[in-house]
Amino acid sequence: MFKRIIEVSSQDTDALGHVNNTTIPLWFESARNPFYKIFNPTMKLDANTWNLIMVHTEYDYLDQIYYADKIEIRTYVEKIGNTSCTVYQEAWQNNQKKATGKAVLVYYDFKKQNKMTIPDKIKEKLEEHKL
Amino acid sequence: MFKRIIEVSSQDTDALGHVNNTTIPLWFESARNPFYKIFNPTMKLDANTWNLIMVHTEYDYLDQIYYADKIEIRTYVEKIGNTSCTVYQEAWQNNQKKATGKAVLVYYDFKKQNKMTIPDKIKEKLEEHKL
Amino acid sequence: MFKRIIEVSSQDTDALGHVNNTTIPLWFESARNPFYKIFNPTMKLDANTWNLIMVHTEYDYLDQIYYADKIEIRTYVEKIGNTSCTVYQEAWQNNQKKATGKAVLVYYDFKKQNKMTIPDKIKEKLEEHKL
Amino acid sequence: MFKRIIEVSSQDTDALGHVNNTTIPLWFESARNPFYKIFNPTMKLDANTWNLIMVHTEYDYLDQIYYADKIEIRTYVEKIGNTSCTVYQEAWQNNQKKATGKAVLVYYDFKKQNKMTIPDKIKEKLEEHKL
């Protein structure tokens, strides 16, 4: 599991006084950085190097999130397939689980525009972060 | 169905050369404005007036979206429940369906923090935009 | 002058009930698309093709902007230099000027990481949009 | 001076391979949280409590910022006026100053829509973070 602490910023909130639904995708994407590093140790984000493409995301909003208190994002590997991997994430504030989400990413060659088989060496590292 | 044309902006893209996965939630939220207007004719976005809260969103990324060409967002009402409503949306670019998504919203009293029954008058208007 | 109509989205607002200061840079960047097209007729946003780099932006927040009503962004060319160009922009809501801004962009070769002289043909087109 | 470490996220970059100009305002706003706390110890971001409104921001983009390496934001108080305060900020990556910016905020009563005089007690705390 990967932990990341996020301070809520004013732009994360909306005129209803809480954090907007579109903020959770931004936080969860940020918190996937250490997951991405398993696939991309150099963290070179360009189409000649990078090897993951997003195919599905989903988010459950369990309770309202407010500005004042810090957020903890917990990131787990839920499922490791042959060519894809599912990430499960939670956002906590004040010891309450406020939102959860999943992201399905395909191991991908951007030049050939093809999916690829995830190497065993990567799978082993992913196993360490299994839910 | 509600149509909305969106011009891709530089900040919608990422270093992989395509539109980032977190941009679709932003576009789909923007394109739900006419749906929100059915529930909130004054469009007064404050917790004393507004009556919808997001409980679930999901997004399928079917194909990569690039900067140059305009996006058409199509917004449909998929399901009308007693206290909630599901919106289905598509993002098209160059006559290709690039992404789809769903959003489940609850008819909600922000002061009492309670869900409410959707009035028949609103349900009738929603029916006009059914998938 | 280039005009662009923007519908305020929930995520553009913040918990103070108005549009967040960080939203104006996003709107003004979006509204510079037709300006960018003068320099980049193909609108291919990649480092092999694109020829503008941002060196300075500034924003004056004249009055609060709210969710319900549409925004008109007016984009002018303020100054045309040898290697750079200044854009001046205004955001209007309900016939009131709510925010203004400037952006200084350098005509730039991303591969050589060098500034370049703006060609006369581009300068002529820019002149048509002078303040 | 306030320090804040930011990990670049994929959505902070654009198709030119670098961090987009609109990301810097988002990072600098986030990094002003401890400055805001001097004025608003409860960090209650609502119009009945909050007491600062943004009137001007500006950003100088000194060099391109990339995805892989962490960002350090340094936030200083530049000028303390009777009713307003200027914040100066820098973004560093790999020991290089990549961007700077200023933000002018007015001490403000959102209910009366009036500027107010900054109390001496707040001024003293601001002095500790002077440039």
Side-chain angles (χ1 to χ4, degrees):
Chain A
M1 192 252 279
F2 303 104
K3 269 195 198 184
R4 184 189 169 98
I5 304 299
I6 286 179
E7 264 188 58
V8 185
S9 299
S10 68
Q11 68 264 24
D12 297 329
T13 66
D14 66 28
L16 295 173
H18 61 197
V19 164
N20 191 269
N21 76 81
T22 63
T23 300
I24 305 298
L26 296 165
W27 287 352
F28 282 6
E29 173 66 18
S30 301
R32 282 190 294 267
N33 269 357
F35 168 82
Y36 293 154
K37 202 166 186 170
I38 293 176
F39 288 88
N40 294 279
T42 62
M43 288 299 262
K44 240 180 146 287
L45 186 68
D46 66 54
N48 292 317
T49 315
W50 200 256
N51 52 28
L52 285 170
I53 194 165
M54 186 65 75
V55 295
H56 176 81
T57 57
E58 57 183 79
Y59 307 94
D60 284 296
Y61 304 93
L62 309 178
D63 199 3
Q64 297 182 69
I65 301 176
Y66 299 101
Y67 176 66
D69 299 305
K70 282 182 183 163
I71 303 299
E72 183 182 306
I73 310 288
R74 301 180 187 170
T75 299
Y76 303 85
V77 174
E78 186 182 270
K79 199 181 146 193
I80 308 164
N82 277 333
T83 59
S84 73
C85 185
T86 303
V87 174
Y88 168 75
Q89 295 177 287
E90 295 173 345
W92 290 73
Q93 190 180 41
N94 295 327
N95 299 312
Q96 287 182 286
K97 190 165 53 178
K98 297 286 192 170
T100 62
K102 289 185 187 185
V104 183
L105 294 118
V106 165
Y107 192 58
Y108 191 74
D109 184 323
F110 276 89
K111 283 162 292 177
K112 298 185 185 163
Q113 308 238 341
N114 271 345
K115 60 185 176 183
M116 305 184 290
T117 304
I118 301 175
D120 287 343
K121 218 175 114 188
I122 289 178
K123 282 183 177 175
E124 280 161 30
K125 281 180 199 156
L126 293 172
E127 282 290 345
E128 295 169 25
H129 302 279
K130 265 305 240 343
L131 187 59
Chain B
M1 193 253 278
F2 303 104
K3 269 194 198 184
R4 185 187 168 98
I5 303 301
I6 286 180
E7 265 187 57
V8 185
S9 299
S10 68
Q11 68 264 27
D12 298 328
T13 66
D14 67 28
L16 295 173
H18 61 198
V19 164
N20 192 268
N21 76 81
T22 63
T23 300
I24 306 297
L26 295 166
W27 288 351
F28 281 7
E29 173 65 18
S30 300
R32 282 189 294 267
N33 268 357
F35 168 82
Y36 293 153
K37 202 165 186 171
I38 292 175
F39 288 87
N40 294 280
T42 62
M43 289 299 262
K44 241 179 144 287
L45 187 68
D46 66 54
N48 292 317
T49 315
W50 199 255
N51 52 29
L52 286 170
I53 193 164
M54 185 66 73
V55 295
H56 176 81
T57 58
E58 59 183 77
Y59 308 94
D60 285 295
Y61 304 94
L62 310 178
D63 199 2
Q64 296 183 69
I65 301 177
Y66 300 100
Y67 176 65
D69 299 305
K70 284 183 181 161
I71 304 299
E72 183 181 306
I73 309 288
R74 300 179 189 170
T75 299
Y76 302 85
V77 174
E78 187 182 271
K79 200 180 145 193
I80 307 165
N82 277 333
T83 59
S84 73
C85 184
T86 303
V87 174
Y88 169 74
Q89 295 179 287
E90 296 173 345
W92 290 72
Q93 191 181 40
N94 296 326
N95 300 312
Q96 287 182 287
K97 190 164 54 180
K98 296 287 192 171
T100 62
K102 288 185 189 186
V104 183
L105 295 120
V106 164
Y107 192 59
Y108 192 74
D109 184 322
F110 276 88
K111 283 161 294 178
K112 300 184 185 163
Q113 308 238 344
N114 271 344
K115 62 185 176 182
M116 305 183 290
T117 304
I118 302 176
D120 288 343
K121 217 176 114 187
I122 289 178
K123 282 184 176 175
E124 281 162 29
K125 280 180 198 155
L126 293 172
E127 282 289 345
E128 295 169 26
H129 302 279
K130 266 303 238 345
L131 186 59
Chain C
M1 193 254 279
F2 302 104
K3 269 194 198 185
R4 186 188 169 98
I5 303 300
I6 285 179
E7 264 187 57
V8 185
S9 299
S10 68
Q11 69 264 26
D12 298 329
T13 66
D14 66 28
L16 295 174
H18 61 197
V19 164
N20 192 268
N21 76 81
T22 64
T23 300
I24 306 297
L26 295 166
W27 288 351
F28 281 6
E29 172 66 18
S30 300
R32 283 190 294 267
N33 269 357
F35 168 81
Y36 293 153
K37 203 166 185 170
I38 292 175
F39 288 87
N40 293 280
T42 63
M43 288 298 261
K44 242 179 144 287
L45 187 68
D46 66 53
N48 292 317
T49 315
W50 199 257
N51 51 30
L52 285 169
I53 194 164
M54 186 65 74
V55 295
H56 177 80
T57 57
E58 58 183 78
Y59 307 94
D60 285 295
Y61 304 93
L62 309 179
D63 198 3
Q64 297 184 68
I65 301 177
Y66 299 101
Y67 175 66
D69 298 305
K70 284 185 181 159
I71 304 299
E72 183 181 305
I73 310 288
R74 301 180 187 169
T75 300
Y76 303 85
V77 174
E78 187 181 271
K79 199 181 145 193
I80 308 165
N82 277 333
T83 59
S84 73
C85 184
T86 303
V87 174
Y88 169 75
Q89 295 178 287
E90 296 173 344
W92 290 72
Q93 191 181 41
N94 295 327
N95 299 313
Q96 287 182 286
K97 191 164 53 178
K98 297 286 192 169
T100 62
K102 288 184 189 187
V104 183
L105 294 119
V106 165
Y107 192 58
Y108 192 73
D109 184 323
F110 276 88
K111 285 161 293 180
K112 300 185 184 161
Q113 308 239 343
N114 271 345
K115 62 185 177 182
M116 305 183 291
T117 305
I118 301 176
D120 288 343
K121 218 175 113 187
I122 289 178
K123 282 184 177 175
E124 281 163 30
K125 281 181 199 155
L126 293 172
E127 283 288 345
E128 295 168 25
H129 301 279
K130 266 303 241 343
L131 188 58
Chain D
M1 192 252 279
F2 303 104
K3 269 195 197 185
R4 185 188 169 98
I5 303 299
I6 286 179
E7 265 187 57
V8 185
S9 300
S10 68
Q11 69 265 24
D12 297 329
T13 66
D14 67 27
L16 295 173
H18 61 198
V19 164
N20 192 269
N21 75 80
T22 63
T23 300
I24 305 298
L26 296 166
W27 288 351
F28 282 6
E29 172 66 18
S30 301
R32 282 189 294 266
N33 269 357
F35 168 82
Y36 293 153
K37 203 166 185 170
I38 292 175
F39 288 88
N40 294 279
T42 63
M43 289 297 262
K44 243 180 144 285
L45 186 67
D46 66 53
N48 292 318
T49 315
W50 200 256
N51 52 28
L52 285 169
I53 193 165
M54 185 66 73
V55 296
H56 176 80
T57 58
E58 59 184 77
Y59 307 96
D60 285 295
Y61 304 95
L62 309 178
D63 198 3
Q64 297 183 69
I65 301 176
Y66 300 101
Y67 176 65
D69 298 305
K70 283 183 182 161
I71 303 299
E72 183 181 305
I73 309 287
R74 300 180 188 169
T75 299
Y76 303 85
V77 174
E78 187 182 271
K79 200 181 147 192
I80 307 165
N82 277 334
T83 60
S84 73
C85 184
T86 303
V87 174
Y88 168 75
Q89 295 178 288
E90 296 173 345
W92 290 73
Q93 191 181 41
N94 296 325
N95 300 313
Q96 287 182 286
K97 190 164 54 178
K98 297 287 192 169
T100 62
K102 288 184 188 186
V104 183
L105 294 119
V106 165
Y107 192 59
Y108 192 75
D109 184 324
F110 277 88
K111 283 161 293 179
K112 299 185 183 161
Q113 308 238 344
N114 270 345
K115 60 185 178 183
M116 305 183 291
T117 303
I118 301 176
D120 288 343
K121 218 175 113 188
I122 289 178
K123 282 184 176 174
E124 280 162 31
K125 282 181 198 154
L126 292 172
E127 283 289 345
E128 294 169 26
H129 302 279
K130 265 303 241 345
L131 186 59

